[in-house]
């Protein structure tokens, strides 16, 4: 149950004074449905209206705030002409100019003979100072309010330093500002959840005061990310994030696990069948995984490794450890294509070990599916590879001991927990091929154990990466022709042109047609809208070599493994993110042949796009690339937050506030040690914090939640 004290913040925007359904809809689009969301919408700058000259001293081109007397109204004599209001002070005349004036509202807003304050950009038109559509108009101090703009209680009618907020179409700055002030007005002081000593040491204000000052900056500098008020709010948000993750972890640890330590016979059989030796990074990771599995609490470990670092074999060996103990294990991939590919690469090894391997995806229907489900429930399958389909309710395991989730960032926390709920004491290993910077790992997984495959299997040659302007397409096609004669297999990736798959597809189809003119039947096409079996057919034709050029939309992005492919062409590379380009490039360089990656761009390039392409040219180190990506784009965009399952932050900036994230992690650890049920007074306040940032799910894990 949400603490009562927060109720006033978790109500629809329409409950705010002056916010009707229409405005509420616009604000909701911008910030979210509740008042609390509005509080997190911080200003991006300020307009300084503190310059208050006399009329004669107001230079053109500058924002000024003037106190003047309304001298005369001149409604337009002809349609489309402006409505002018003549104002004066002791130094001169100022004209206020309005277009499209309806009714008599200006007469009410600017009553004849009254003193008013107007603010806006002054322009000089034939020597007469003018303000066209002043940003602000209000009664001067001491004047009685009028129908147009009653003086705000206790405030001057015109804010001299006016915060500027990110907007959305149709929403005026004035309306948004008014709504935010209304939201602040219904915001109560909340119990302090910060550790008092830490708060004192940081010189941080109380929560409401911090919010209030962020929304009422004294000047541009007051918005800096490193000021106490902003840091406090950032810390609050990160603490909520870290505490929620810590609670989920605690819960996970409390659930009984099982000691899983097999005798090694299946693993030995598989290792004997491998055409290579494990790298020391793989062996180290396996030692860590086996050690976790051997304890009687549940494993929750992240295996990070760049594309091609050899995570799959690590997963298989961990799964076999479970099978050796009589349990089942499941491997979940984010796409059908990858699930099938895992199946293909695991099948011969599973056979070598004599374990029974099955597949379950959304595409499996009817009798085959029923048979798989039955075998699974009866314990006649040891290993199951699949997609999201594994989450479905009718999927029942006989005794699931380990779940491996591949390409983890595509799945959210909830899905993760859902799957581990399928077994009685299931260990979980999550694998990600996108090297996530340390910071993001922490926000997404909290204090989760991490194993890293920092070393690639031996014998890989560096990938020669070149950036080429799209104008030189012909040269690229010639180069591809040369490579084909040498026996290369080529990926040709067309980008997401817009958020529409249809248009996306059109680009790929068109490119496929063009390349077919040059290379005939050697060119294949694979895209997201193809039916599953057609996709598979195209992929295997490419793997077998009946197709030598595979034109693809980004469906090949994740994990596809064709070791004979040695050329990767990416069109409009400037439209892809760094991490994505790195992933794409990782599709080549998997075999023993030298590989090439051609990044085709359309100029002129912006600064960020140029830096991105340069970084790719300079390094293949996925972790370094990920750090750069974070720096260049900001965390939210690194993986495309929506599909990434990573949390979004409104107040915290993961680059600027990294130190706070570490502090929040340490604080969360301490809290969990000392007050795991959040029962002390500070614990109660921390519950408020969790609800405030909508981490309710975590509160449910408290025994007395
Ligand atoms: P990823 O980490 O991207 O999932 P994979 O598991 O698909 O990488 O491995 C990429 C390729 O490297 C596969 O063809 C795999 O057989 C091979 N591989 C894995 N480990 C080794 C190793 N220790 N030595 C040589 N090749 C390896
Ligand atoms: Mg993989």
């Amino acid at each position: 149950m949400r603490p009562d004290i927060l109720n006033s913040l978790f109500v629809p925007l329409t409950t705010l004074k002056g916010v009707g359904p229409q405005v509420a809809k616009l604000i909701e689009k911008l910030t979210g449905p509740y008042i609390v969301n509005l509080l997190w919408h911080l200003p991006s700058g300020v307009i300084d209206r503190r310059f208050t000259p006399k009329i004669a001293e107001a230079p053109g081109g500058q924002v000024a705030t003037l106190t003047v007397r309304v001298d005369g109204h001149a409604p337009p004599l002809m349609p489309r002409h402006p409505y002018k209001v003549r104002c004066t002070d002791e130094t001169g005349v100022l004209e206020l100019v309005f277009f499209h004036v309806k009714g008599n509202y200006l007469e009410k807003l600017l009553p004849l003979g009254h003193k008013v304050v107007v603010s806006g950009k002054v322009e000089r038109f034939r020597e007469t100072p003018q303000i066209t559509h002043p940003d602000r108009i209000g009664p001067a101090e001491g004047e009685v309010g009028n129908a147009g703009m009653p003086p705000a209680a206790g405030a001057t009618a015109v804010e001299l330093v006016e915060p500027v907020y990110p907007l959305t179409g149709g929403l005026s700055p004035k309306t948004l500002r008014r709504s935010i002030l209304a939201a602040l007005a219904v915001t109560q002081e909340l119990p302090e959840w910060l550790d008092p000593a830490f708060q004192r040491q940081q010189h941080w204000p109380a929560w409401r005061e911090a919010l209030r000052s962020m929304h009422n900056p004294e000047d541009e500098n007051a918005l800096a990310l490193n000021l106490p008020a902003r840091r406090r709010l950032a810390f609050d948000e990160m603490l909520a994030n870290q505490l929620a993750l810590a609670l989920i972890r605690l819960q996970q640890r409390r659930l009984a696990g099982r000691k899983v330590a097999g005798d090694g016979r299946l693993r030995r059989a598989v290792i004997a069948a491998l055409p290579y030796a494990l790298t020391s990074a793989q062996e180290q990771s396996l030692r860590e995984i086996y050690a976790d599995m051997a304890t009687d609490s549940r494993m929750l470990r992240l295996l990070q490794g760049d594309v091609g670092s050899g995570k799959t074999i690590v997963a298989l060996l961990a799964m076999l450890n479970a099978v050796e103990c009589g349990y089942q294990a499941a491997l979940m991939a984010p796409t059908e294509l990858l699930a099938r590919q895992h199946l293909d690469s695991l099948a011969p090894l599973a056979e070598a070990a004599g374990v029974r391997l099955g597949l379950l995806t959304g595409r499996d229907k009817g009798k085959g599916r029923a048979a798989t489900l039955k075998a699974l429930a009866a314990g006649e399958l040891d290993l199951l590879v699949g997609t999201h389909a594994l989450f479905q309710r009718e999927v029942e395991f006989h005794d699931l001991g380990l779940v491996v989730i591949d390409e983890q960032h595509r799945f959210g926390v909830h899905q993760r927990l859902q799957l581990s709920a399928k077994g009685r004491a299931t260990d979980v290993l999550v694998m990600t091929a996108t090297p996530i910077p340390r910071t993001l790992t922490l926000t997404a997984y909290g204090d989760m154990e991490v194993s890293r495959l920092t070393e690639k299997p031996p014998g890989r040659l560096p990938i020669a990466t070149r950036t080429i302007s799209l104008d030189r397409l012909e040269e690229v096609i010639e180069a591809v022709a040369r490579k084909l004669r040498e026996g290369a297999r080529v990926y040709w990736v067309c980008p997401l042109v817009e958020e529409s798959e249809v248009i996306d597809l059109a680009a790929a189809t068109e490119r496929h047609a063009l390349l077919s003119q040059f290379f005939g039947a050697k060119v294949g096409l694979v895209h997201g809208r193809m039916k599953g079996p057609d996709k598979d057919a195209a992929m295997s034709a490419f793997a077998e070599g009946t197709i030598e050029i595979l034109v693809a939309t980004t469906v090949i992005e994740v994990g596809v493994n064709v070791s004979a492919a040695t050329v990767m062409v990416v069109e409009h590379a400037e439209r892809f993110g760094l991490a994505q380009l790195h992933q794409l490039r990782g599709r080549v360089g998997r075999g023993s042949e030298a590989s090439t990656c051609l990044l085709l761009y359309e100029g002129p390039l912006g600064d960020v796009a140029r830096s991105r392409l340069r970084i790719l040219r300079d390094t293949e180190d996925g972790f370094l690339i990920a750090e750069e990506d974070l720096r260049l784009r900001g965390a939210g965009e690194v993986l495309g937050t929506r599909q990434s399952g990573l949390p979004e932050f409104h107040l915290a900036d993961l680059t600027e506030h990294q130190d706070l994230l570490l502090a929040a992690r340490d604080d969360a650890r301490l809290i969990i040690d000392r007050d795991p049920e959040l029962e002390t007074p500070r614990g109660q306040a921390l519950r408020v914090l969790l609800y405030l940032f909508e981490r309710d799910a975590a509160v449910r894990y408290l025994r007395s939640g």
Side-chain angles (χ1 to χ4, degrees):
M1 279 289 288
R2 176 186 301 129
D4 289 344
I5 194 165
L6 292 178
N7 286 345
S8 63
L9 296 180
F10 286 87
V11 289
L13 296 160
T14 43
T15 56
L16 287 175
K17 231 175 81 191
V19 177
Q22 290 231 307
V23 167
K25 219 183 248 168
L26 291 170
I27 299 181
E28 174 165 354
K29 198 171 115 198
L30 188 66
T31 65
Y34 301 122
I35 292 181
V36 71
N37 305 121
L38 203 46
L39 298 179
W40 306 151
H41 193 64
L42 298 183
S44 53
V46 300
I47 295 180
D48 194 335
R49 303 190 183 283
R50 281 176 298 183
F51 180 48
T52 50
K54 294 289 172 202
I55 291 176
E57 298 156 355
Q62 205 169 323
V63 173
T65 302
L66 301 115
T67 303
V68 294
R69 184 174 300 281
V70 180
D71 249 20
H73 279 248
L77 297 173
M78 300 217 281
R80 272 193 275 157
H81 275 206
Y83 188 123
K84 292 187 178 175
V85 178
R86 196 183 125 95
C87 302
T88 54
D89 67 6
E90 60 275 21
T91 68
V93 177
L94 174 73
E95 259 179 6
L96 306 181
V97 181
F98 300 86
F99 292 91
H100 310 296
V101 176
K102 290 206 185 82
N104 64 347
Y105 98 97
L106 280 181
E107 282 157 38
K108 286 191 180 155
L109 186 61
L110 296 161
L112 205 60
H114 282 242
K115 258 193 166 175
V116 295
V117 180
V118 297
S119 185
K121 196 201 249 174
V122 178
E123 261 137 353
R124 295 202 166 248
F125 183 69
R126 302 211 186 100
E127 288 312 297
T128 309
Q130 288 189 339
I131 299 179
T132 304
H133 286 275
D135 306 328
R136 293 287 181 268
I137 299 176
E141 222 162 302
E143 285 288 309
V144 190
N146 52 54
M149 169 77 77
T156 44
V158 171
E159 281 187 292
L160 290 184
V161 178
E162 184 190 316
V164 177
Y165 294 94
L167 288 170
T168 184
L171 185 63
S172 80
K174 213 151 77 185
T175 306
L176 179 60
R177 174 66 178 158
R178 207 178 50 219
S179 311
I180 286 174
L181 289 177
L184 283 171
V186 300
T187 302
Q188 304 180 47
E189 188 59 86
L190 299 176
E192 186 55 76
W193 48 75
L194 294 178
D195 172 60
F198 182 61
Q199 183 181 11
R200 261 196 311 277
Q201 178 214 342
Q202 298 285 332
H203 305 289
W204 284 348
W207 176 73
R208 188 168 66 157
E209 173 52 26
L211 257 187
R212 203 205 54 77
S213 73
M214 286 312 298
H215 284 290
N216 296 289
E218 281 166 17
D219 53 31
E220 189 90 37
N221 297 333
L223 296 176
L225 290 168
N226 61 3
L227 291 188
R230 177 63 185 267
R231 281 173 61 82
R232 178 201 164 123
L233 295 177
F235 182 81
D236 290 343
E237 188 172 37
M238 288 167 152
L239 183 59
N241 163 265
Q242 290 298 298
L243 189 56
L245 289 166
L247 287 170
I248 293 173
R249 290 276 285 130
L250 182 67
Q251 160 74 2
Q252 191 103 17
R253 286 208 192 97
R254 273 184 188 151
L255 295 172
R258 300 186 283 208
K259 291 187 176 149
V260 178
D263 58 12
R265 76 202 133 82
L266 300 176
R267 284 171 281 174
R268 274 193 300 275
V270 162
I271 289 171
L274 287 177
Y276 52 78
L278 295 177
T279 64
S280 55
Q282 283 169 323
E283 283 182 341
Q284 174 61 27
S285 295
L286 281 167
R287 271 196 296 277
E288 292 163 1
I289 293 165
Y290 297 153
D292 280 2
M293 293 175 81
T295 67
D296 54 12
S297 51
R298 290 189 180 200
M299 172 169 77
L300 185 60
R301 180 172 281 275
L302 179 68
L303 177 63
Q304 272 193 318
D306 217 341
V307 278
S309 59
K311 292 183 293 299
T312 319
I313 187 66
V314 173
L316 176 64
L317 292 169
M319 292 196 287
L320 290 177
N321 184 25
V323 177
E324 284 166 11
C325 297
Y327 307 131
Q328 293 167 303
L331 170 60
M332 188 171 68
T335 65
E336 182 96 31
L337 206 66
L338 280 169
R340 282 174 197 277
Q341 189 180 291
H342 276 316
L343 185 79
D344 292 344
S345 66
L346 296 185
L349 296 171
E351 200 177 289
V355 300
R356 298 156 297 181
L357 173 65
L359 176 75
L360 189 70
T361 73
R363 225 198 280 161
D364 299 299
K365 301 217 164 72
K367 273 199 195 136
R369 178 186 172 82
T372 304
L373 289 180
K374 192 157 161 257
L376 194 66
E380 287 154 14
L381 282 176
D382 304 307
L383 300 179
L384 185 67
V385 173
T387 55
H388 292 77
L390 298 185
F391 289 132
Q392 288 158 358
R393 197 168 310 130
E394 70 267 27
V395 179
E396 264 179 54
F397 290 82
H398 175 66
D399 194 354
L400 182 62
L402 171 68
V403 175
V404 181
I405 306 178
D406 194 10
E407 313 298 354
Q408 162 64 18
H409 63 274
R410 297 263 171 137
F411 300 104
V413 176
H414 292 292
Q415 284 172 308
R416 223 182 295 157
L417 293 173
Q418 229 175 328
L419 192 61
S420 59
K422 290 254 176 224
R424 277 185 284 129
T426 314
D427 286 327
V428 178
L429 177 67
V430 294
M431 309 200 294
T432 172
T434 307
I436 304 174
R438 179 79 196 119
T439 328
L440 287 188
T441 313
L442 204 54
T443 64
Y445 308 103
D447 232 354
M448 188 185 214
E449 270 79 40
V450 181
S451 296
R452 283 183 158 197
L453 294 179
T454 44
E455 166 195 16
K456 288 213 176 162
R460 299 278 162 80
L461 296 167
I463 302 168
T465 301
R466 271 181 228 122
T467 53
I468 303 171
S469 164
L470 254 174
D471 302 340
R472 293 164 58 193
L473 188 61
E474 270 177 48
E475 283 167 59
V476 173
I477 291 174
E478 275 165 31
V480 165
R482 228 169 19 248
K483 291 285 182 189
L484 286 178
R485 281 196 297 277
E486 293 166 11
R489 217 73 55 78
V490 180
Y491 285 111
W492 191 298
V493 177
C494 298
L496 202 72
V497 178
E498 282 175 31
E499 294 291 308
S500 144
E501 263 192 274
V502 184
I503 302 174
D504 184 21
L505 179 56
T509 314
E510 197 179 302
R511 188 54 77 225
H512 175 255
L514 178 84
L515 291 172
S516 298
Q517 285 174 27
F518 287 89
F519 304 110
K522 289 178 188 168
V523 190
L525 176 65
V526 59
H527 57 75
R529 298 196 130 205
M530 265 159 82
K531 288 235 164 58
D534 298 340
K535 239 190 268 183
D536 294 350
M539 284 309 300
S540 46
F542 184 60
E544 285 154 18
T546 30
I547 285 174
E548 295 175 17
I549 303 181
L550 187 64
V551 178
T553 55
T554 43
V555 287
I556 65 156
E557 182 192 337
V558 190
V560 172
N561 195 7
V562 177
S563 58
T566 53
V567 180
M568 167 64 65
V569 181
V570 184
E571 267 193 60
H572 283 292
E574 79 280 1
R575 293 183 189 160
F576 290 92
L578 252 183
Q580 215 179 359
L581 287 172
H582 177 65
Q583 289 278 330
L584 284 170
R585 180 170 58 181
R587 301 302 120 221
V588 298
R590 303 200 136 206
S592 50
E593 298 291 310
S595 296
T596 312
C597 175
L598 302 177
L599 301 175
L600 310 190
Y601 63 85
E602 183 169 284
L605 286 178
D607 285 344
V608 170
R610 180 175 325 233
S611 311
R612 251 188 236 154
L613 295 183
R614 179 161 11 92
I615 291 159
L616 276 168
R617 227 171 33 210
D618 292 350
T619 182
E620 272 186 64
D621 180 336
F623 290 103
L624 194 83
I625 289 174
E627 297 287 349
E628 284 299 313
D629 204 18
L630 178 62
R631 200 179 55 75
L632 282 174
R633 293 208 291 169
E637 290 173 65
V638 167
L639 300 162
T641 306
R642 213 159 294 137
Q643 57 147 24
S644 71
L646 293 176
E648 267 182 283
F649 289 94
H650 306 285
L651 307 166
D653 178 307
L654 290 181
T655 313
E656 289 294 321
H657 297 140
Q658 266 199 43
D659 62 316
L660 293 180
L661 181 63
L662 298 181
R665 178 201 58 191
D666 295 345
D667 201 11
R669 258 189 213 159
L670 266 178
I671 293 163
I672 295 288
D673 277 354
R674 289 187 190 156
D675 181 18
E677 297 301 326
L678 304 186
E679 284 161 337
T680 62
R682 186 179 176 213
Q684 297 292 338
L686 286 161
R687 287 175 185 235
V688 173
L689 174 73
L690 288 170
Y691 276 102
L692 181 66
F693 284 100
E694 300 178 66
R695 310 278 192 223
D696 316 16
V699 183
R700 267 186 262 126
Y701 292 115
L702 296 170
R703 280 199 199 112
S704 48

